[in-house]
Each structure stands twice: as structure tokens, then as C-alpha cells.
Amino acid sequence: MDIVSMLEDAIGKEKILADNASLYSYGFDASIHHAIPSVVVTPRSEEDVIEIIKIAHEHAIPVVARGAGTALSGQAVPIKGGIILDMAAMNKIKEIKIENFYCRVEPGVVYGELNRQLAKYGFFFPPSPGSGDVCTIGGMIATNASGMRAIKYGATRDYVLGLRAVFPPGKAYALGSSTLKNSSGYQIERLLAGSEGTLGVITEATIKIIPLPEKRGVALASFDSLHDAGKGVANIIASGIIPSALEIMDRVCIQAVNKSMNIGLPDVEAILIIEKDGKEEEIKKDIERIAEICRKSNAKDVVFTFDEKEMANLWKGRKGVLPSLSRYGENRISVSLADDMAVPISKIPDAVKAFQELSRKYGILIGTYGHAGDGNLHTKILIDPTSEEEWKKAEKLVDEIYRVVYNLGGIVSGEHGIGISKAPWMIKENIELMEKIKAAIDPKNIMNPGKMMQWKGSIITNLRYR
Amino acid sequence: MEREYNNQFALQVMKMLEKYYKEILTCTGCAFCKKACQVYLHTRKEKDSPKGRIMISYGLLTGELKEDASIIEALQKCALCRLCESVCPSMIKITDIIKAARHDLKGMLREHERIMQEIEAWNEPIKGERLLVMNSKNEIVDEIAKKLHAAAWHGGCGGAIERIGRENEMAGRLIEKIKEAGVKQVIYYEPDCKKYFEGFDAVNIVDLIESVDAGESYAVHIPYDFDGEFVEKVKKLFEKKDVEYIHECCGGRREFKEAFPEEAEKMAKDVIQKSNGRKIITISLECYEHLKKYGNVIDLLHIAKFKD
Ligand SMILES: Cc1cc2nc3c(=O)[nH]c(=O)nc-3n(C[C@H](O)[C@H](O)[C@H](O)COP(=O)(O)OP(=O)(O)OC[C@H]3O[C@@H](n4cnc5c(N)ncnc54)[C@H](O)[C@@H]3O)c2cc1C
Ligand code: SF4
Ligand code: SF4
């Protein structure tokens, strides 16, 4: 029997998609890669997932779990073919337990929707990835996603109390707990955070939630030099104030956002957007102090606001960097390469400067922005995706970028994850142990094979551009 | 069940899509557009999302995908409501790409074939110097025509044919007929129709409305795909009232509703739900005919008072 018929028999025809339009469109995430799966399955329950994994294990067929497909490094692309497990239909919020500080959700729940529901109780789940309006809780856990608020609130992993997950050969486990503290053995639920679907399929998550801050305030500081902006970051951190976000954007990003979004960011070398949340009186004082610190760090101009609409507008500008860059180059588009390195906070200006130098050396436009407050930088590289030459050049550039990052004491990914496009630059020492864990849990190597430590070779592969 | 379609595919050249090559490459694949697409939110299938349709168009353009029933269906299962464009941070011309892809398709859904035949077969006599061109058989059309001392044409100007992705020959024939009849002034409704009436004294019907008699509590349904100038005119009619606007698509366009009745019903029910129990005033007769099956709805023309 072929795979499609086996799956249809096991969980029902209506949950299986094997038409060309589906197979082709499920082959993309938000990365540079594309590959076509053999079949797409849309499970509605953990029981469905168990049946699928049993079949996949028995016949050694690759399985790639998928949330919203917003991964930036090819994590959700089925490069070895096989089954795409679209978890989007498992999207129930099962319970919200305010008194116990947790909620229990299915993996397909969209982050933004969960926070809309939690807000009714005055609570939230903080990680705030830029893709939060569409990405799923399952995808966030599997990539250990985070965002601009990580500086104060940490990443998704820090909020995973418990999980249910299905592992090969097709058995579900309850991992962790719903208690806030847990020193009861290996925390396998946290191992799944960042596992990129290479170990098991998350079918339910118990997530820690916390009360929403009373109020937020935002300052926007503009700088004529990157170095001063970096100094501003260091001085804010050194002051003891813990902002709820501290973002940096370089000139290329500012111009790209202004070109496509009409938000009117100041036309300078770099800007910092700093958010402070908490009690009203406290944030007013702190935002004014932050403004003062920025001025002392040579900010050309500092404005601040407590108005919800104005703040939303500023954040819209920041969140729009990534897509706006795609409109920036005349004949070039932005591609997701070397997009997410983390360096020690004090090294940010050095990193950004080095990227700009590399940009000149290779004649490739690079936009740099990111979470300056926790050392997590994003770059976007603008190339002509139809030119083989440019891809070759870009790969060399990426390699040099990561060398700089290592020399500054940094790592390859702070939040987006590894997938394919960052695989060659993972820290070598970790790989051996990761492979042992992977082999123990998934002996037939069916779970998202060929990703992370398993990817060997050039990253310019399975390109989605033709 | 495999959908019925006309499958006369020859070796295909994606003529229209070629113009959108760079535009498609510019799409970052971020998927932000998914959150706005009512069709996707109901089916939760990637091919039914705006991003999915763009990628499918790309596959057709590069030759990696060959046209088949699933591809025709995915490309046609879009109401062209443009809500996705309102949230796309890269400002991708999503519906232009989808329309170009449809244009290049060889095959056609059976429902669309039938709709085209019906539209093209429409005929009625045109008399007089003033003509009201509407795409509706609702009796309100005749009532308004009478009030405006105009003759009425109920067969529209073939917008559905264009949206399906075929040459709109109906519009050309209508213009010929209008010329023959010696019509001087054309009154039209949908802003999209204006382009056909160049050279005529063409008046939008909304400009002839003096006021609306709407009652107290209601929500106004203005689908997002109507052009800005037209929407502003409509909003002016409700200026001093406390109104809530609903921009979501109800799935009521004929070519969508007849090909995808299940999705169209769900979309209509969503629009009704968004009104929070208030009466809905919709600005399109097409939406009205669809929405009224599911809730308390009236359309603008039914409550309009016309200028003398
Ligand atoms: C515009 C944009 C902005 C972004 N901003 C951020 C940001 O600020 N911070 C950040 O961290 N990331 C960001 N990302 C990257 C991406 O959105 C996140 O990694 C997100 O968490 C992925 O979620 P998803 O639902 O789209 O998962 P997918 O892309 O579908 O999948 C991602 C990975 O998770 C695995 N997976 C998904 N569901 C499950 C499951 N149920 N069980 C097991 N494995 C599963 C997949 O196999 C895959 O390996 C951004 C992406 C875009 C396009
Ligand atoms: S069309 Fe726009 S919103 Fe949708 S995936 Fe492409 S860039 Fe993102
Ligand atoms: S136009 Fe409307 S129906 Fe079509 S893809 Fe965009 S949001 Fe979906």
C-alpha cells in the first residue's frame, strides 16, 4: 500500500492532502529553501499524531511537523520529502488557570490569539516574536522563539512548564508538569524547546503566564554614529534599569522602513527604541532617565511617548524591518541568511561595524537591526536571487559574518534557530551529544531529518528562487 | 471528490504572470497575510492562503508546477477581497498576481464556465438617453431607474468574467449597444465599472444619493476591495452617525459564492457575527443577496434617498 492510502486508512481521508497545489505550497517556510513533500496530513488530535508517527516509523518515512511555516532557516521545509504534519488545525486553548499561572494549549494556537485571550484576564505570555500574529505555540517551542521582550522576560523555553509529545515509534508522553517549579529529573520538555521537530511532535503545551504590566512607555533615540548608539545601550544596561525592550536599527533598515511604511523614522545612522513597562509612576521616571542617558551618550534627538497608538506605530516600524527590506533594493531582494546572531551586549557596535565593512567588501547591501538589549542582532542580506554568482558571494559573506561573531564571543542563532541555513556554523562540541540524543529518541531518523547537526554541505541548496 | 473542470491544457506560456516575476520574488514568505484571509482561516490549508497562492503562481511561472484541477481551484478560491494586501508589510500586489495567474490558466471551473455563458448571454433592450447599469435582477434596480428617469440594464458589465481571468467581451458589446441606443449618460455603481464608460458622461450612483434612512443602530459592511474614493463617498453618507464598519469579505461575489458555497456561507456568517446583533447595511447588492440569507441585512440602495 502506498503512503497516502495507509494514512487515509489510519486517520481518515479528509485529513490527508496529496494534490499538487498542496504539496507545492507546503514546501515553503519563510527561508530561502523549498522542497516538495510526498503528502500533507492535518491531524486533529494526539491520537491522529500517534497513528501517523507509527506508520512513518514503521516505513522509515520522514516527518516534518509544521506550525505557520514562518521559520527563517528552512526548519519547516521537507528536504528529504515525506510527510508534512500541519498542526494548524489543533488550535484549541484548553484551559487558562490564572490562579496557577498557566494555560494549556494545543500546538496550533497562534501566539497573538493566545495573548488576546489571556489579556481578558490581565495576563500574557511574553516572548513576542516579530511573527507573533501568525506563528504557532508549537513552532515557537520547537524553535525556542523569543523577541524584543526577551531582555526582561526571557525566551519561550523559560515558559514551558509541561508538554505532551509523540515520539517514534508512536507513543505519547506527558513531560514536565503544571507547577511553576520542577527539580524532578531531566526536564525533557525543555529539551524539546529548540529541537526543531527533530525529536518528537508537540501535541499540547502547558505554558507559564504572567500578569500584564500596568503600563508601557517608549523612547526613540536617534544617533549620528553607531558607536554612540552602542554606548547608549551599554549605559542604559549599566544604569540598573531593565527595559522591556531595547532595539537597534541601522541606517539601511531605517531607510527601508521609511520607504515602504511611511512611518517617518528619523533619517540617521542608527536609532534605539527603548520600552519600559511596569507601574505608571515608575515607568514615567525610568523613561525620562533613559532619555537622559541617551542624550548623554550623544543622542542627536530623543522623543518618548506613553500613548498606545504612537507606541504601536513605532513598533510597527520595527516589526516591519524584515519585510520592508525586501522592497528596498531596486533589483535585489532581502533573503534570510545570517539573520540572527547573538553577541555579548557590549560587542554590538563592533559587530554592526564589522558587518558594514563586510557589506562594502562584498558589494552586498546588509541591513542590521535587532535586540540590542540582549545582544541579539538580525541582518538581512539583499541580493539578486536569480544570480548564481550572487549566491556564491553571499555564502562567503555569511561565513565571514559568523567568523566575526565567533571572534566577538557570540553564537550562530539567538532566536530563529538553525534549520539548514545556519547549520554549518553550529558549535562543533555540541554536535556529538546532540547526535547521541537524536539517535536514542529517533533511531530511524524520521523526525525532520537532515536539519541542524545533520545538514552537511553548502547552505545554498534547495533554493526556493529559480 | 475530484472537482470538475475543463482540462484542455496545452503547453502553457505564463504571459501575464511574467510581468510579476520580481513582485513574486519580493514576497518574503512571512505569512502575515494569512491572518487576514477569511478563506484560509476557514480551511487552514496552505494552498488557500494568500502566500500559498503566490507560491503556486511562482511554481506555474517557473514551470515547476503544471496546471491541474487543484491549482485552478487554489487560484480561484480567492474572493479578491484584498484584505491580505492591507496587512502585507512588503506591499505585495497579491491580487494582481492572482489575477494574472488566473488569466494565464487554460482550464476553468465548470461553475465559472456556466457563469460566463450566462453573463454573456444576457440581453435586454436599451432605450433612452440615461441608463442605469447594474449587476442585479433585484426589483430595487427598476425602482431606482424610475426615480432617476433612466432605463435599466441588469446584466452588469462583466466584472465577474474579468475576475475569473478571461477577456471581458461582454463590456465591449454593452458599450456598442449603449452607443447604438444613443445613451448620453450612464449611471453605474461599482467603481470598477467606470473604466468601461470612458467617453460617456458616467456618474456614480452614490453621487446621486442625498441621504440614507438607516435607523438607529447598525453596522456598515464595506468590503475592502472597493476603491478609496468610493469608500470615502459612502462613509460621508453615514458621517454624523455612530457607525461601526465591517471590512471583511462575505464571499458574496457570484463567481466565488457559486464555486465555493461552503466557504462563502462561513464567511457571510462571520460578517453577520461581527455586527454584534446590529442590523447590517451593505454597500453592494451582490453582498446583500448573499448576506440576507444569514442575518438582518439591508443594502445602501434600499435605504437611499436620491437627489431631485
Ligand atoms: C517576519 C518574521 C519575523 C520573525 N521574528 C521572529 C522573532 O522575533 N523571534 C523569533 O524567535 N523568531 C522569529 N521569526 C521566526 C519564526 O517566526 C519563529 O521561529 C516561529 O516560532 C515559528 O513558528 P511557526 O508556527 O511558524 O513554525 P514553523 O515555521 O511551521 O516551524 C518551525 C519549526 O518548528 C517545528 N514545529 C512546528 N510545530 C511543531 C510541533 N507541534 N511539534 C514539533 N515541532 C514543531 C517545525 O518542524 C520546524 O522545525 C520570524 C519570522 C518571520 C517571517
Ligand atoms: S504576500 Fe506579503 S504578507 Fe504574504 S507572505 Fe508575502 S510578503 Fe508576507
Ligand atoms: S484577496 Fe481576500 S480571499 Fe484572496 S487571498 Fe487575499 S485575503 Fe484571501
Side-chain angles (χ1 to χ4, degrees), chain A residues 20 68 133 327 330 466, chain B residues 21-23 35 58 68 90:
Chain A
N20 283 331
D133 278 350
R327 280 258 167 228
E330 284 304 310
R466 268 154 217 280
Chain B
Y21 185 56
K22 167 84 196 313
E23 189 67 15
K35 69 180 171 196
Y58 189 59
D68 70 7
S90 303

Side-chain angles (χ1 to χ4, degrees), chain B residues 124-158:
Chain B
E124 65 186 317
I126 294 178
K127 279 193 222 109
E129 295 198 341
R130 207 176 198 204
L131 181 71
L132 175 64
V133 176
M134 298 285 284
N135 179 24
S136 172
K137 316 316 177 267
N138 191 299
E139 66 272 16
I140 189 74
V141 175
D142 297 309
E143 279 174 35
I144 295 173
K146 215 165 156 190
K147 271 187 221 164
L148 299 175
H149 311 291
W153 170 263
H154 303 73
C157 43

Side-chain angles (χ1 to χ4, degrees), chain A residues 65 67-71 75 129-131 135-136 139-140 142-143 145-146 196 202 415-416:
Chain A
T70 64
Q75 291 97 318
S131 52
C135 74
T136 65
M140 284 178 69
T143 55
S146 60
E196 299 185 2
I202 299 158
E415 55 184 33
H416 296 169

Side-chain angles (χ1 to χ4, degrees), chain A residues 40 43 46 73 83 109 126 133 140-141 156 163 167-168 186 202 224 240 274 315 320 353 373 382 399 454:
Chain A
V40 177
E46 187 178 272
S73 316
I83 302 168
V109 169
D133 278 350
M140 284 178 69
I141 295 171
T156 299
L163 291 180
F167 297 92
Y186 294 168
I202 299 158
D224 276 334
I274 310 117
W315 286 132
K353 264 219 180 100
L382 278 75
D399 187 53
Q454 291 188 345

Side-chain angles (χ1 to χ4, degrees), chain A residues 17 19-22 24-26 28-30 34 36 66 68-70 86 88 91 130-131 133-134 260 323 326-327 329-333 385-386 464-466, chain B residues 21-32 34-35 40 44-47 51-52 55-56 58-59 62 64-66 68 70-71 74 89-93:
Chain A
L17 304 170
D19 59 283
N20 283 331
S22 289
Y24 189 77
S25 54
Y26 274 100
F28 296 87
D29 53 15
H34 178 239
I36 299 176
R66 179 184 170 98
T70 64
D86 179 2
N91 62 352
S131 52
D133 278 350
V134 283
S260 78
S326 65
R327 280 258 167 228
E330 284 304 310
N331 293 310
R332 302 196 147 54
I333 60 150
T386 57
R464 82 159 153 111
Y465 310 94
R466 268 154 217 280
Chain B
Y21 185 56
K22 167 84 196 313
E23 189 67 15
I24 297 175
L25 287 178
T26 307
C27 162
T28 59
C30 70
F32 283 15
K34 277 181 167 180
K35 69 180 171 196
Y40 169 76
R44 301 261 169 198
K45 291 176 186 160
E46 201 63 36
K47 63 177 171 179
K51 171 180 167 182
M55 297 307 166
I56 288 169
Y58 189 59
T62 56
E64 209 182 353
L65 261 186
K66 294 274 170 287
D68 70 7
S70 73
I71 284 155
S90 303
M91 299 180 298
I92 303 297
K93 298 185 180 113

Side-chain angles (χ1 to χ4, degrees), chain A residues 51-190:
Chain A
E51 291 307 314
I52 299 160
I53 298 298
K54 274 184 185 161
I55 293 172
H57 181 82
E58 192 186 334
H59 300 276
I61 300 164
V63 180
V64 182
R66 179 184 170 98
T70 64
L72 289 164
S73 316
Q75 291 97 318
V77 173
I79 43 162
K80 305 279 179 197
I83 302 168
I84 284 276
L85 209 57
D86 179 2
M87 306 301 287
M90 283 180 70
N91 62 352
K92 280 195 256 339
I93 297 176
K94 290 186 161 172
E95 60 174 347
I96 295 177
K97 283 273 185 208
I98 297 304
E99 67 278 19
N100 290 327
F101 282 73
Y102 76 77
C103 64
R104 210 156 51 83
V105 301
E106 288 189 333
V109 169
V110 169
Y111 174 75
E113 178 55 24
L114 177 59
N115 268 345
R116 263 190 295 282
Q117 296 308 321
L118 291 172
K120 294 180 185 164
Y121 304 87
F123 272 66
F124 79 130
F125 168 40
S128 320
S131 52
D133 278 350
V134 283
C135 74
T136 65
I137 302 300
M140 284 178 69
I141 295 171
T143 55
N144 188 27
S146 60
M148 60 192 190
R149 301 218 164 89
I151 177 176
K152 177 167 177 181
Y153 294 104
T156 299
R157 178 181 283 124
D158 306 319
Y159 292 83
V160 177
L161 301 177
L163 291 180
R164 289 191 63 86
V166 177
F167 297 92
K171 187 171 173 200
Y173 289 84
L175 307 165
S177 66
S178 50
T179 58
L180 290 183
K181 292 172 93 175
N182 182 349
S183 294
S184 317
Y186 294 168
Q187 286 190 269
I188 302 171
E189 68 283 4
R190 297 211 170 183

